[in-house]
């Protein structure tokens, strides 16, 4: 069946704000940057925070507002994780661009300050050697070049580099901010989204506007212009609630075989275990009939399992471990057996 | 070969601001950088002479005396970032060479080549070249190796021989953050100076000077917040000051914390209270809401709560276990683990702590 909505462009790009003031819900950051744009007095910047909160959008908007579309290409260098991130990039590409003095070209209506901008998107994926090599480069060329680092986790940026930047944290977006932005896109695209579907979209995207827009576009493409809660859930990869609850019910039985069967079923259905962990946590935390000490044991295991999965451990084994510990906790069994 | 040396010299020109007139240096004033307002304050207010360096008077005085007596040894300056290592050595160089600055200094750092070829060619060529002397006696030249801990081991071994060979005509200054990454053979040929994190009073004093120069409005709470968040790193303090000033004309404690995104001390107290007193699900909900509302990162909460933990009365073994668990959670967060799951783990460890404290009391 031909899609009802024309697939001209990803909506994430189509609706990306072009002005700093349009970036949703980052008031402190926006106020600082608007002041900066008045004076064009810019330090090195470090934008960090969860995905989909406007970090890249803000960096690009600053560059557009400073230089305008024509001068942008010669004054701004963008690099991200899909480019090379090793030390050779710092020695050649970045350093060569950073070292060149700026010309005196100006465009009417734009401040065109006398320096260039290098935007390093997903900077936390740069190798440590490359980050080390950047330390001096940022200092040496600070008169003619400003660096914008964008990352999710500030702890992955080495401290000597981070200390050379003005830091801006981008907060997760709240539901009403997401709602107003989503409603704007729905109106533009002729979509019909009810209140329940809007609430579901906010929950499953967890403050990540890019994710929300992508889900919306996927759902519109698959289901047409009327979108329901279940449509959004089916495109998002969120696990149905009854699956999570049946896992807890299996653990409550106290029988390892019952839990193992449920775990095998979940793995066979292909649900992502890291997603399941987060939803299982919600169920455990909100359960009124589980005492706090048992909740503590289970949530401690969930925290450890999270790290194991990040390190690449086997999903079946990790989920089985969580289920086993949940059984032990619910029945107050000793943590370790003595052989 | 000549081209390489010329390129290095041009790098030096680009790297170092032009030396100030002798009169300005003697007065100890910080001259304005070229470009005026366009320069970040960390560059604009970098100390230009030894008298301007904000802290480490003992180190600065020692180096100053050695310089005056023409007995400058090879130097190894190490310590955390933002503590004045590079500023000190650049000030020494300015004092030694004045207008001859660019001819007498070879400056290399980790973003330049740092392998063994650099030592064999560039450094040897520079150190071996005969220097023209206009004074009563020939001056030694200076090779400055910034961020020397990034040099390969082979390069460091080769450097050891070069240092021995050219001691008569050249002095080497190594700057690094982690001294353990410099091979012992090199360390033993240098006089070592450790630049500890700056004392709060020095940071405060320097900030007050810059606040006056820029005509800023900073209240006492704001100044205290800047000093606290800098952790002895002057560069960090200046970056925070500049970014906070761009956000609001009045620099208060709240403005500083809003700008950096660090948790406010009162918020940490509130979170610690919840962790120690509220039921699991209530604690989880309250902390999640505060994280969302104030944009707090869990890793920052854990670091601050850890400091707070030392103020609470509890048995030693309970505290040890608690600190160990907090360290584990912080470690997991540095590997991009899920914030929500790690928050669950955080509340778990405090729930266990409560149980242990109650058991110890009875």
């Amino acid at each position: 069946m031909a899609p009802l909505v024309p697939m001209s462009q990803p909506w994430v790009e189509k609706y990306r704000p072009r002005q700093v003031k349009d970036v949703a819900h980052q008031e402190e950051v926006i106020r600082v940057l608007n002041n900066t744009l008045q004076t064009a007095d810019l330090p090195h910047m470090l934008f960090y925070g969860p995905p989909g909160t406007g970090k890249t959008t803000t960096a690009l908007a600053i560059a557009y507002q400073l230089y305008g579309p024509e001068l942008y290409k010669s004054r701004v260098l963008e690099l991200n994780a899909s480019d090379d991130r090793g030390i050779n990039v710092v020695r050649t590409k970045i350093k060569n661009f950073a070292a060149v003095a700026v010309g005196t070209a100006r465009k009417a209506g734009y401040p065109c300050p006398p320096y260039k901008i290098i935007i390093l998107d997903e900077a936390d994926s740069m190798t440590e050697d490359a980050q080390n090599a950047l330390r001096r480069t940022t200092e040496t060329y600070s008169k003619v070049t400003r660096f914008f680092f964008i990352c999710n986790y500030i702890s992955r940026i080495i401290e000597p580099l981070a200390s050379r930047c003005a830091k801006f944290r981008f907060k997760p977006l709240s539901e009403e901010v997401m709602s107003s932005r989503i409603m704007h896109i729905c109106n533009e695209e002729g979509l019909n989204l009810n209140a329940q579907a809007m609430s579901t979209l906010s929950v499953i995207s967890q403050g990540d506007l890019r994710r929300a827009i992508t889900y919306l576009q996927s759902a519109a493409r698959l289901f047409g212009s009327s979108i329901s809660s279940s449509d959004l859930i089916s495109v998002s990869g969120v696990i149905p609630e009854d699956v999570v609850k049946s896992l807890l019910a299996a653990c409550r039985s106290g029988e390892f075989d019952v839990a193992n069967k449920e775990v095998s079923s979940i793995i066979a259905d292909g649900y992502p275990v890291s997603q399941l962990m987060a939803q299982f946590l919600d169920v455990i935390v909100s359960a009124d009939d589980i005492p706090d000490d048992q909740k503590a044991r289970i949530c401690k295991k969930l925290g450890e399992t999270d790290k194991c999965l990040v390190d690449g451990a086997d999903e079946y084994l990790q989920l089985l471990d969580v289920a086993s510990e949940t059984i032990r906790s619910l029945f107050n069994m000793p943590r370790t057996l003595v052989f | 070969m000549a081209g390489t040396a010329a390129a290095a010299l041009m790098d030096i020109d680009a790297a170092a601001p032009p030396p100030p007139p002798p009169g300005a240096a003697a007065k100890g004033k910080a001259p304005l950088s070229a470009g005026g307002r366009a320069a970040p304050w960390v560059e604009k207010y970098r100390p230009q002479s030894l008298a301007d360096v904000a802290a480490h008077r003992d180190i600065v005085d020692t180096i100053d005396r050695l310089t005056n007596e023409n007995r400058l040894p090879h130097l190894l300056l190490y310590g955390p970032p933002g503590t004045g290592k590079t500023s000190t050595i650049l000030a020494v160089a300015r004092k030694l060479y004045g207008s001859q600055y660019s001819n007498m200094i070879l400056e290399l750092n980790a973003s330049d080549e740092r392998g063994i070829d650099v030592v064999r060619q560039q450094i040897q060529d520079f150190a071996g070249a005969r220097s023209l002397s206009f004074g009563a006696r020939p001056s030694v030249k200076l090779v400055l190796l910034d961020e020397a801990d990034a040099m390969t081991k082979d390069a460091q071994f080769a450097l050891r021989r070069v240092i021995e060979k050219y001691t008569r005509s050249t002095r080497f200054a190594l700057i690094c953050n982690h001294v353990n990454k410099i091979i012992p053979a090199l360390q033993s040929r240098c006089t070592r100076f450790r630049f500890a994190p700056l004392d709060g009073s020095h940071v405060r004093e320097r900030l007050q000077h810059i606040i006056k120069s820029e005509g800023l409005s900073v209240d006492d709470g704001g100044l205290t917040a800047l000093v606290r968040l800098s952790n002895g790193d002057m560069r960090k303090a200046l970056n925070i000051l500049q970014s906070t000033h761009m956000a609001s004309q009045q620099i208060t404690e709240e403005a500083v914390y809003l700008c950096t995104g660090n948790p406010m001390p009162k918020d940490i107290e509130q979170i610690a209270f919840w962790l120690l007193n509220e039921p699991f699900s209530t604690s989880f909900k309250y902390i999640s809401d505060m994280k969302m509302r104030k944009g707090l990162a869990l890793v920052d909460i854990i670091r601050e709560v850890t400091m707070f933990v030392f103020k609470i009365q509890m048995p030693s073994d309970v505290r040890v276990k608690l600190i160990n668990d907090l360290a584990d959670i912080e470690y997991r967060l540095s590997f991009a683990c899920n914030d929500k799951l790690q928050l669950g783990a955080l509340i778990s460890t405090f729930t266990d702590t409560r149980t242990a404290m109650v058991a110890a009391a009875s």
Side-chain angles (χ1 to χ4, degrees), chain A residues 99-111:
Chain A
V100 175
V102 296
T104 53
R106 294 179 59 90
K107 292 300 171 185
Y110 296 99

Side-chain angles (χ1 to χ4, degrees), chain A residues 188-207:
Chain A
E188 293 292 313
E189 298 290 332
L191 301 183
N192 184 22
L193 198 68
N194 62 31
Q196 188 195 3
M198 175 67 75
S199 181
T200 298
L201 185 58
S202 182
V203 169
I204 62 181
S205 59
Q206 295 167 43

Side-chain angles (χ1 to χ4, degrees), chain A residues 299-338:
Chain A
C299 290
K300 176 165 294 195
K301 172 57 69 174
L302 287 171
E304 292 163 6
T305 300
D306 185 21
K307 176 67 165 70
C308 294
L309 290 170
V310 164
D311 286 343
D314 180 78
E315 288 195 329
Y316 170 71
L317 285 177
Q318 294 304 313
L319 184 52
L320 197 58
D321 187 27
V322 166
S324 302
E325 181 65 18
T326 302
I327 294 175
R328 283 199 296 270
S329 302
L330 292 176
F331 290 86
N332 289 316
M333 298 178 192
R335 294 181 194 230
T336 55
L337 296 179
V338 181

Side-chain angles (χ1 to χ4, degrees), chain A residues 139-150:
Chain A
E139 201 168 277
T140 301
Y141 301 113
S142 64
K143 285 187 179 57
V144 294
T145 305
R146 298 289 187 272
F147 286 78
F148 284 25
F149 298 94
I150 300 173

Side-chain angles (χ1 to χ4, degrees), chain A residues 258-270:
Chain A
V258 174
N260 183 29
K261 184 176 177 184
E262 192 64 36
V263 166
S264 300
S265 170
I266 289 169
I267 297 295
D269 286 339

Side-chain angles (χ1 to χ4, degrees), chain A residues 32 35-36 41 95 133 135-136 139 142 146 156 159 163-164 169 171 282 285 292 296 299 303 306, chain B residues 37-38 43 46 107 109 111-112 177 236 239 246-247 261 280-281 295 300 334 337-338 340 342 348 352:
Chain A
V32 172
N35 282 347
T36 301
D41 183 11
K95 202 174 171 193
R135 285 159 65 182
R136 185 64 176 182
E139 201 168 277
S142 64
R146 298 289 187 272
R156 307 298 283 273
E159 179 59 34
S163 80
R164 287 167 162 82
R169 175 180 279 114
K171 299 172 291 189
D282 286 332
V285 168
D292 277 3
C299 290
D306 185 21
Chain B
R37 284 183 57 82
E43 296 298 328
R46 181 184 285 280
E107 190 176 357
N109 59 55
S111 64
D112 292 322
N177 291 120
K236 181 184 278 191
N239 274 324
M246 287 188 287
F280 198 105
S281 57
D300 289 327
S334 72
C337 287
N338 185 302
K340 196 165 84 169
Q342 299 310 318
S348 298
D352 289 345

Side-chain angles (χ1 to χ4, degrees), chain B residues 26-47:
Chain B
K27 292 170 193 164
K29 291 179 182 176
L32 294 181
S33 302
R37 284 183 57 82
W41 292 350
V42 291
E43 296 298 328
K44 181 176 178 181
Y45 290 100
R46 181 184 285 280

